Amino acid sequence: MITFGYTSDAANHYEIWSANTPDVYLDGITQLLNITYQALDVGKVFVQVLNINVVATGAAPTTSAPPVPYATPRGFANDITQWLAARQGSEAAIAKTLMFNNINIPGAAPGTVIAAQSYTAPDYAYNWVRDSSLTMDVVQSFYAAGTGSHKATYESILFQYAQARYQEQVDPGLQTGLGEPKFFLNNSIFTGPWGRPQNDGPATSAITLMEFSSDYLAAGGSLATIRQAIYDGPQAPVLRDLLFVANNWTYSSFDIWEEEPSDHFYNRMVQHRALLMGATFALQFNDGATSQILSAAATAIAATLGQFWDPIRNLILYEYGPVLRGKYSYKDVAVVLGVIHGYAGDGIYSYTNDQVLETAWQIATSFIPVFPIAATHFDAQGRPLGTPIGRYPEDVYNGVDTSLGNPWYLCTASMAELFYRASTAFNKAGSITVTETSLPFWQYFAPGQTYTCGTTYNLGRGNNYGWGSVSPNGNTQQGNAMIASLQGWADAFMRTVKYYTPAGGHLSEEVNRTTGVAQGAKDLTWSYAALLTAAFARAEAGGAPVGYSNYVRILANL
Ligand code: NOJ
Ligand code: NOJ
């Protein structure tokens, strides 16, 4: 982190600035080449050549032998297919019921979500903007797939949600604009001390409501209704949130864990996606001027995303800035969440991107030495368990206060989701190219094969898409085996969620790192939402015998 301070005025046609680097976060910097900065007040970009040699003082990255894989799961596993089946009594059905139990709870404002059924130790009896938007995104998937009275119910919840979001935006007590993170259940602002703003919320809320709008229109709904209730009617939330994002993305914000004010990968990813979607959305209302504002901001964010890649650590950093909260591993599963919630379909940090895969491998394996329960590699039937995933290795939040951090259900399910989505995307592309960057990922998750960097492995007969009628050659066999490994490990991560799910199927926030017993907020809504989006991604990847649309429809209509 380099802090610049302005120390002198421009009386003599030059300015004096001082630079301070208390904690060089990219070890190995040897020279400062130039300063390029954007002056928001005058709307100009300035470049000053420096060419100054510097000595970096940060700790060198630790290099240790890469972890050795303890299992080689291949393909979708029947126990997970059963556990997530679209039928009464499955965990997917239980998660759906318990998630809806937390929406519109008695006495709460319509369209709100209680973050967890936990009123003390911890008190999660609030409507968090982030948690609600991610929950409503699942409602939206059910809306899109459901039929009849089920569809109608989801539709009315989503219109209520739009209204609730508008109420939040105009609450007279906002301290940090639309980035306020949490509201009481009557949807009035929580004004106590808190990490604010959290500028991911306006983006994820807009994404959910724009997705809903497309499906509503596709189902024959009226554009005028969407304009009035969702886009820019007097009580519509989406344009407000999108303009807030376009105008505020450069400012630092707290992260999704509500702990660190900085420039966060997760936030930028969801903001970029929201703006790109918004640019297209606005055109439906012939609002070309807004579309241009949003698309220009999306382009500007896109230009910053590459800066999160740390070429020394081969890692996508979760934030720019100094190490806070002792996060010396520089790893945070928020990066994986940023990709699954924020990938915009434009090729930037896609599910199959080699930097994303490399980062996912590093994050997943970083918890092996941290959580004692990670030493349990197999369930009672001998089936492999993926490493339990927490927020970041150094986490000390125990779900109530601070001591030792734990694995989280939603983090573990999100790792599975990334793997399912990667397998779908590779299958659609028809091939996998192994690069030097992604090599460690493949060596760990699909071991036992020889990889040549730069080689493209084709996919075909034998994988779930099963095109082609000729027997696969060696190259294709290897590609198919890689896909099977992705699917096998995705299921292994889901099996970890399953393994630590208590009888009855209730999910809290976390599981104790030593005992594996559920801990923290009970019935965390986001845990259910994350389980369901992972289940949807599994169905899309080919894991549900009935296929993706039947799977979501049957579940929606249960
Ligand atoms: C509550 C936040 O929600 C949680 O994410 C954080 O870790 C703890 N406070 C500790 O700061
Ligand atoms: C703490 C988590 O860190 C944060 O992400 C979440 O929004 C709140 N709990 C509410 O679930």
Side-chain angles (χ1 to χ4, degrees), residues 124 128 194 257-259 325 391 397 402:
Y124 273 36
W128 255 273
W194 208 252
W257 311 134
E258 321 191 282
E259 296 182 326
R325 292 192 170 246
R391 301 192 297 184
Y397 179 56
T402 53

Side-chain angles (χ1 to χ4, degrees), residues 14-30:
Y14 60 83
E15 299 180 352
I16 298 178
W17 290 64
S18 68
N20 181 20
T21 63
D23 181 359
V24 175
Y25 76 96
L26 266 186
D27 307 327
I29 292 180
T30 56

Side-chain angles (χ1 to χ4, degrees), residues 115-116 124 126 128-131 181-182 194 198 200 255-259 391 397 408 410 509 521 524-526:
Y124 273 36
Y126 296 94
W128 255 273
V129 175
R130 164 178 38 263
D131 299 48
K182 81 184 212 185
W194 208 252
Q198 295 178 20
D200 56 311
D255 62 315
I256 57 170
W257 311 134
E258 321 191 282
E259 296 182 326
R391 301 192 297 184
Y397 179 56
W408 284 36
L410 77 89
E509 184 176 75
L524 184 83
T525 320
W526 189 0

Side-chain angles (χ1 to χ4, degrees), residues 102-105 108-116 123-133 135-136 160-161 163-168 180-190 258 525:
N102 291 0
I103 299 174
N104 285 340
I105 69 162
T112 59
V113 178
I114 187 170
D123 180 4
Y124 273 36
Y126 296 94
N127 177 37
W128 255 273
V129 175
R130 164 178 38 263
D131 299 48
S132 300
S133 66
T135 302
M136 288 296 172
Q160 287 175 341
Y161 169 61
Q163 195 53 39
R165 179 65 193 136
Y166 163 74
Q167 282 163 9
E168 294 160 10
E180 283 294 327
K182 81 184 212 185
F183 291 79
F184 290 103
L185 295 176
N186 68 5
N187 218 19
S188 68
I189 183 98
F190 167 82
E258 321 191 282
T525 320

